[in-house]
Amino acid sequence: MHPALVPLVDRRAPADADNWDTLWQALADGALDRADVLALLASLTAALPDGPSLLTLLDSLDRRRPAPPAVPWPGTVNVVGTGGGPPTVNLSTASALVAAATGVRVVKSGSRAHTARTGSVDLLDRLGVPLTSSLDHTADHLAAHGIAFTGPFVYPGQLARLALLAVPTPMRVFGRFLNTLGPFLAAVPVTAQVTGVSAAEPPPPLRTLAARPGGPVTWLTTNVAGADELLSVTDNTIHLPGGDTRMLRAGELVPCEGTLDDLAPVSREEAADHFRTVLTGRAGAPLRATLQLNAAALAVASGHRDDWATAVAEAGAALDDGAALGLLERLTTTRARGVSRVG
């Protein structure tokens, strides 16, 4: 085992900045082999580092990125989940479009699926929606459309290199660690973030990451179904900064009829067409209500609205009047015309 890995694997003391810096330098120098990488990832997955160690890890990666804007983009929100939990239609991507159609400024990060479910990037590829290639490009899309879907440039290159070295072992094997850290890896200069957690309660390390100094105001959402989105069919809890919570009771804001089966995904081949139907609000009452709830959360978290009932009603109107689907079609037209530039 490479000496850089020893303090990160044996866990006899918390990993500090020097430990992580030594690791990334060894990776850059080509001094790590596949066995080293698998040992590291297996250790991180078997026992999640504590909150302070994860903060140190994120700080070490941030020091190797281009400097973000001095001031986050005002009134912007990212919606991204931890993955896992019961499979559903890609609710975060759909709710991002619905919220943007009501005037919320959304910068949506995401990734490809590590399992059979279609990830947000997989779906966007099928729909023909362009991803941005730089922060300037993201700002351009945000100004033109009120929403931007970021490309892989927002994620640390070091983790991509670890994944390549781990081949042919798939990264989903290390899902527990990656799911915890994933929502906080994207360098997007938003002012707010809504992160769905596929657990009944957020684990302590996730709470620490959500309260990270200098990060966006972050809401963690949970429900008893273990889904990483708000659901219309069950009670949900929003874990707010500072330790406060907001309970959203089933039926409080949107109708609560239906079950998780009504939110289930379709086949990959049908995903794009079904997604367009979802954005019309005519894919079933439970899906419609769930979209309204998630879009409203983005409106309130971003500060666009301070009243949940108003935000829910506006989301419903964006489904009914074609604004959400129209926004999707404008984005796909942008890509088809070749307007999307490489930044």
Side-chain angles (χ1 to χ4, degrees), residues 86-89 231 233 258-266 274 283 286-287:
T88 64
V89 170
L231 301 179
V233 299
T259 68
L260 275 171
D261 289 341
D262 297 303
L263 310 178
V266 298
H274 184 252
L287 258 175

Side-chain angles (χ1 to χ4, degrees), residues 1 13 44 59 80 105 153 172 217 246 254 274 282 286-287 317 322:
M1 179 181 295
L44 293 173
D59 288 343
V80 57
R105 288 164 52 83
F153 77 92
R172 67 173 176 268
V217 174
R246 165 70 155 93
V254 295
H274 184 252
R282 296 194 293 270
L287 258 175

